[in-house]
Amino acid sequence: MAHHALPLLWGRPAGTAGDPDTPRTTTAARGARGSRTPGQPRLGRVPGRPGARGGKDTAVSGVVLLLPDGEPSSARRPSALTSVRSYAAVLPLGRALARAGRAEGLLVHSVHYRLRGWNGAQAHPAADTTWAVEEVVRRYGDVPVCLAGHGMGGRAALHAAGHPAVNSVLALAPWLPEDDLAAPPEPVGQLLGRQVLIVHGTNDARTDPELSYRLAERAKKSHRDICRFEVHSDGHALRQHQDEVLALATDFVLGSLFTRSYARPVADALAAPPPLGLRMPLAAGFGRSLRH
């Protein structure tokens, strides 16, 4: 059975007692730090953009917001090291999308969260994602937005999909909570009217692929534009079949934002009833087949 809690991401944990390199912190200082208001989320820029004149972006006709992984619970701000390593995991996707969508006017931004953790009902990354969509609207006007997240970022993308500017959601190996009769189920109503693609490795030991299937199955009852692909033998990072995953993601995002025709496997998955369209295997060589 997969382990559903996300691990502490990259880097060493904060210093512990007895570590000579750990600075001592007084009780008063800890209290002051704990009461500090978290900083604002911010948008980062992924290399590759439609072009610029006079320092201002031009011809932006669609935006992808990249949402990285995180921790289930943490009130700490992301450090420089954790930020670099978490965004490195989604950078190949961002670069692939920016390159493929440049001619269409696609811009890709990364979302830098205020805090590392999801933090229960506070759902900080989802709130930061909503802020990021509002910022996109402020900067670029009425353009369609795709939320593309990995792990905890996948859950944030699904949660924030209800914003009117959001056109589509790409959730890679999304972290979802265990089914709990004492808690309300993960919401799916906000996905109505959005194109949704979930991709999950069958050997994911960090986030349970069965939970993403169950969410997709509930959503599909009232929302036909959702599909889910399984990457057989791949894990949480989806590195073993990265080329196929990137090709699938690119086809879906460009098709959703710019009303292109989807590749046949994506179109078939969207049209198929459960469980077929929600357990669609990602074929080896998917990207190569699109180029011929």
PDB file of all heavy atoms in Angstrom, residues 11 43 56 71 81 103 108 110 119 150 161 202 204 208 234 243 249 253 268-269 276:
ATOM      1  N   GLY A  11      16.990  18.494   1.038  1.00  0.00           N
ATOM      2  CA  GLY A  11      17.767  19.251   2.022  1.00  0.00           C
ATOM      3  C   GLY A  11      17.659  18.643   3.405  1.00  0.00           C
ATOM      4  O   GLY A  11      16.854  17.784   3.688  1.00  0.00           O
ATOM      5  N   LEU A  43       5.150  35.381  -8.287  1.00  0.00           N
ATOM      6  CA  LEU A  43       5.270  34.689  -9.559  1.00  0.00           C
ATOM      7  C   LEU A  43       6.719  34.708 -10.012  1.00  0.00           C
ATOM      8  O   LEU A  43       7.388  35.742  -9.959  1.00  0.00           O
ATOM      9  CB  LEU A  43       4.409  35.359 -10.629  1.00  0.00           C
ATOM     10  CG  LEU A  43       2.891  35.294 -10.458  1.00  0.00           C
ATOM     11  CD1 LEU A  43       2.215  35.929 -11.664  1.00  0.00           C
ATOM     12  CD2 LEU A  43       2.407  33.874 -10.263  1.00  0.00           C
ATOM     13  N   LYS A  56       7.956  45.178 -21.555  1.00  0.00           N
ATOM     14  CA  LYS A  56       6.613  44.680 -21.278  1.00  0.00           C
ATOM     15  C   LYS A  56       6.297  43.496 -22.187  1.00  0.00           C
ATOM     16  O   LYS A  56       6.660  43.484 -23.358  1.00  0.00           O
ATOM     17  CB  LYS A  56       5.573  45.777 -21.502  1.00  0.00           C
ATOM     18  CG  LYS A  56       5.703  46.948 -20.531  1.00  0.00           C
ATOM     19  CD  LYS A  56       4.587  47.945 -20.763  1.00  0.00           C
ATOM     20  CE  LYS A  56       4.688  49.103 -19.767  1.00  0.00           C
ATOM     21  NZ  LYS A  56       3.611  50.104 -19.979  1.00  0.00           N
ATOM     22  N   GLU A  71       4.849  20.110   1.557  1.00  0.00           N
ATOM     23  CA  GLU A  71       4.716  19.266   2.732  1.00  0.00           C
ATOM     24  C   GLU A  71       3.282  19.300   3.250  1.00  0.00           C
ATOM     25  O   GLU A  71       2.584  20.302   3.082  1.00  0.00           O
ATOM     26  CB  GLU A  71       5.664  19.751   3.830  1.00  0.00           C
ATOM     27  CG  GLU A  71       7.126  19.744   3.420  1.00  0.00           C
ATOM     28  CD  GLU A  71       8.022  20.373   4.480  1.00  0.00           C
ATOM     29  OE1 GLU A  71       7.653  20.339   5.672  1.00  0.00           O
ATOM     30  OE2 GLU A  71       9.081  20.912   4.116  1.00  0.00           O
ATOM     31  N   LEU A  81      17.113  26.954  -0.625  1.00  0.00           N
ATOM     32  CA  LEU A  81      17.442  25.621  -1.100  1.00  0.00           C
ATOM     33  C   LEU A  81      16.199  24.825  -1.449  1.00  0.00           C
ATOM     34  O   LEU A  81      16.114  24.212  -2.513  1.00  0.00           O
ATOM     35  CB  LEU A  81      18.254  24.869  -0.032  1.00  0.00           C
ATOM     36  CG  LEU A  81      18.655  23.427  -0.389  1.00  0.00           C
ATOM     37  CD1 LEU A  81      19.520  23.407  -1.633  1.00  0.00           C
ATOM     38  CD2 LEU A  81      19.384  22.776   0.791  1.00  0.00           C
ATOM     39  N   ALA A 103       4.860  30.205 -30.111  1.00  0.00           N
ATOM     40  CA  ALA A 103       4.217  30.789 -31.293  1.00  0.00           C
ATOM     41  C   ALA A 103       2.756  31.138 -31.038  1.00  0.00           C
ATOM     42  O   ALA A 103       2.196  32.016 -31.705  1.00  0.00           O
ATOM     43  CB  ALA A 103       4.327  29.824 -32.475  1.00  0.00           C
ATOM     44  N   VAL A 108       4.597  31.103 -19.306  1.00  0.00           N
ATOM     45  CA  VAL A 108       4.629  30.171 -18.179  1.00  0.00           C
ATOM     46  C   VAL A 108       5.229  30.862 -16.965  1.00  0.00           C
ATOM     47  O   VAL A 108       6.316  31.422 -17.036  1.00  0.00           O
ATOM     48  CB  VAL A 108       5.446  28.909 -18.521  1.00  0.00           C
ATOM     49  CG1 VAL A 108       5.436  27.933 -17.340  1.00  0.00           C
ATOM     50  CG2 VAL A 108       4.898  28.230 -19.774  1.00  0.00           C
ATOM     51  N   SER A 110       5.976  30.315 -12.657  1.00  0.00           N
ATOM     52  CA  SER A 110       5.974  29.449 -11.485  1.00  0.00           C
ATOM     53  C   SER A 110       5.378  30.221 -10.314  1.00  0.00           C
ATOM     54  O   SER A 110       5.530  31.438 -10.224  1.00  0.00           O
ATOM     55  CB  SER A 110       7.389  28.983 -11.147  1.00  0.00           C
ATOM     56  OG  SER A 110       8.251  30.096 -10.953  1.00  0.00           O
ATOM     57  N   ASN A 119      -1.242  22.532   5.333  1.00  0.00           N
ATOM     58  CA  ASN A 119      -1.755  23.023   6.616  1.00  0.00           C
ATOM     59  C   ASN A 119      -3.273  22.910   6.755  1.00  0.00           C
ATOM     60  O   ASN A 119      -3.973  23.879   7.060  1.00  0.00           O
ATOM     61  CB  ASN A 119      -1.288  24.458   6.878  1.00  0.00           C
ATOM     62  CG  ASN A 119       0.232  24.559   6.871  1.00  0.00           C
ATOM     63  OD1 ASN A 119       0.919  23.648   7.334  1.00  0.00           O
ATOM     64  ND2 ASN A 119       0.764  25.637   6.324  1.00  0.00           N
ATOM     65  N   HIS A 150       2.308  19.518  -9.427  1.00  0.00           N
ATOM     66  CA  HIS A 150       2.855  18.197  -9.125  1.00  0.00           C
ATOM     67  C   HIS A 150       2.750  17.943  -7.628  1.00  0.00           C
ATOM     68  O   HIS A 150       3.076  18.821  -6.822  1.00  0.00           O
ATOM     69  CB  HIS A 150       4.320  18.124  -9.565  1.00  0.00           C
ATOM     70  CG  HIS A 150       4.991  16.835  -9.190  1.00  0.00           C
ATOM     71  ND1 HIS A 150       5.944  16.754  -8.211  1.00  0.00           N
ATOM     72  CD2 HIS A 150       4.830  15.572  -9.667  1.00  0.00           C
ATOM     73  CE1 HIS A 150       6.350  15.493  -8.098  1.00  0.00           C
ATOM     74  NE2 HIS A 150       5.693  14.758  -8.975  1.00  0.00           N
ATOM     75  N   ALA A 161      -9.355  25.522  -9.159  1.00  0.00           N
ATOM     76  CA  ALA A 161      -9.869  25.503 -10.531  1.00  0.00           C
ATOM     77  C   ALA A 161     -11.146  26.306 -10.714  1.00  0.00           C
ATOM     78  O   ALA A 161     -11.530  26.599 -11.849  1.00  0.00           O
ATOM     79  CB  ALA A 161     -10.109  24.057 -10.972  1.00  0.00           C
ATOM     80  N   THR A 202       1.914   4.256 -11.559  1.00  0.00           N
ATOM     81  CA  THR A 202       1.327   3.145 -10.818  1.00  0.00           C
ATOM     82  C   THR A 202       2.206   2.680  -9.668  1.00  0.00           C
ATOM     83  O   THR A 202       1.727   2.008  -8.754  1.00  0.00           O
ATOM     84  CB  THR A 202       1.056   1.953 -11.758  1.00  0.00           C
ATOM     85  OG1 THR A 202       2.289   1.558 -12.379  1.00  0.00           O
ATOM     86  CG2 THR A 202       0.046   2.325 -12.830  1.00  0.00           C
ATOM     87  N   ASP A 204       3.849   4.811  -7.639  1.00  0.00           N
ATOM     88  CA  ASP A 204       4.061   5.972  -6.775  1.00  0.00           C
ATOM     89  C   ASP A 204       3.944   5.540  -5.312  1.00  0.00           C
ATOM     90  O   ASP A 204       2.883   5.113  -4.863  1.00  0.00           O
ATOM     91  CB  ASP A 204       3.022   7.046  -7.093  1.00  0.00           C
ATOM     92  CG  ASP A 204       3.350   8.390  -6.461  1.00  0.00           C
ATOM     93  OD1 ASP A 204       4.002   8.408  -5.401  1.00  0.00           O
ATOM     94  OD2 ASP A 204       2.938   9.424  -7.025  1.00  0.00           O
ATOM     95  N   ASP A 208      -0.882   8.096  -3.274  1.00  0.00           N
ATOM     96  CA  ASP A 208      -1.578   6.898  -3.717  1.00  0.00           C
ATOM     97  C   ASP A 208      -2.325   7.135  -5.025  1.00  0.00           C
ATOM     98  O   ASP A 208      -3.243   7.961  -5.088  1.00  0.00           O
ATOM     99  CB  ASP A 208      -2.565   6.484  -2.623  1.00  0.00           C
ATOM    100  CG  ASP A 208      -3.194   5.122  -2.876  1.00  0.00           C
ATOM    101  OD1 ASP A 208      -3.055   4.606  -3.999  1.00  0.00           O
ATOM    102  OD2 ASP A 208      -3.830   4.591  -1.957  1.00  0.00           O
ATOM    103  N   ASP A 234       6.059   3.628 -13.257  1.00  0.00           N
ATOM    104  CA  ASP A 234       6.732   4.873 -12.889  1.00  0.00           C
ATOM    105  C   ASP A 234       6.368   5.286 -11.462  1.00  0.00           C
ATOM    106  O   ASP A 234       5.345   4.867 -10.914  1.00  0.00           O
ATOM    107  CB  ASP A 234       6.366   5.999 -13.865  1.00  0.00           C
ATOM    108  CG  ASP A 234       7.562   6.888 -14.180  1.00  0.00           C
ATOM    109  OD1 ASP A 234       8.493   6.945 -13.342  1.00  0.00           O
ATOM    110  OD2 ASP A 234       7.566   7.513 -15.250  1.00  0.00           O
ATOM    111  N   ASP A 243       9.735  11.736 -21.067  1.00  0.00           N
ATOM    112  CA  ASP A 243       9.457  12.253 -22.411  1.00  0.00           C
ATOM    113  C   ASP A 243       7.986  12.080 -22.779  1.00  0.00           C
ATOM    114  O   ASP A 243       7.358  12.991 -23.334  1.00  0.00           O
ATOM    115  CB  ASP A 243      10.337  11.540 -23.447  1.00  0.00           C
ATOM    116  CG  ASP A 243      11.798  11.940 -23.343  1.00  0.00           C
ATOM    117  OD1 ASP A 243      12.092  12.949 -22.665  1.00  0.00           O
ATOM    118  OD2 ASP A 243      12.649  11.240 -23.920  1.00  0.00           O
ATOM    119  N   ALA A 249       1.418  16.076 -21.538  1.00  0.00           N
ATOM    120  CA  ALA A 249       1.053  17.333 -20.890  1.00  0.00           C
ATOM    121  C   ALA A 249       0.997  18.474 -21.900  1.00  0.00           C
ATOM    122  O   ALA A 249       0.081  19.308 -21.866  1.00  0.00           O
ATOM    123  CB  ALA A 249       2.056  17.656 -19.788  1.00  0.00           C
ATOM    124  N   VAL A 253      -2.294  20.701 -22.657  1.00  0.00           N
ATOM    125  CA  VAL A 253      -2.328  22.125 -22.307  1.00  0.00           C
ATOM    126  C   VAL A 253      -2.580  22.983 -23.541  1.00  0.00           C
ATOM    127  O   VAL A 253      -3.425  23.892 -23.523  1.00  0.00           O
ATOM    128  CB  VAL A 253      -1.021  22.536 -21.603  1.00  0.00           C
ATOM    129  CG1 VAL A 253      -0.943  24.057 -21.443  1.00  0.00           C
ATOM    130  CG2 VAL A 253      -0.921  21.862 -20.237  1.00  0.00           C
ATOM    131  N   ASP A 268      -9.754  10.225 -26.924  1.00  0.00           N
ATOM    132  CA  ASP A 268     -10.433   8.988 -26.565  1.00  0.00           C
ATOM    133  C   ASP A 268     -10.651   8.892 -25.056  1.00  0.00           C
ATOM    134  O   ASP A 268     -11.712   8.431 -24.601  1.00  0.00           O
ATOM    135  CB  ASP A 268      -9.629   7.779 -27.043  1.00  0.00           C
ATOM    136  CG  ASP A 268      -9.681   7.594 -28.554  1.00  0.00           C
ATOM    137  OD1 ASP A 268     -10.506   8.273 -29.207  1.00  0.00           O
ATOM    138  OD2 ASP A 268      -8.885   6.793 -29.080  1.00  0.00           O
ATOM    139  N   ALA A 269      -9.654   9.299 -24.281  1.00  0.00           N
ATOM    140  CA  ALA A 269      -9.776   9.231 -22.826  1.00  0.00           C
ATOM    141  C   ALA A 269     -10.865  10.168 -22.325  1.00  0.00           C
ATOM    142  O   ALA A 269     -11.623   9.825 -21.415  1.00  0.00           O
ATOM    143  CB  ALA A 269      -8.436   9.578 -22.169  1.00  0.00           C
ATOM    144  N   LEU A 276     -12.606   3.267 -18.202  1.00  0.00           N
ATOM    145  CA  LEU A 276     -11.668   3.295 -19.323  1.00  0.00           C
ATOM    146  C   LEU A 276     -10.941   4.629 -19.448  1.00  0.00           C
ATOM    147  O   LEU A 276      -9.723   4.675 -19.586  1.00  0.00           O
ATOM    148  CB  LEU A 276     -12.404   2.966 -20.625  1.00  0.00           C
ATOM    149  CG  LEU A 276     -13.023   1.568 -20.723  1.00  0.00           C
ATOM    150  CD1 LEU A 276     -13.777   1.410 -22.027  1.00  0.00           C
ATOM    151  CD2 LEU A 276     -11.947   0.506 -20.580  1.00  0.00           C
TER     152      LEU A 276
END
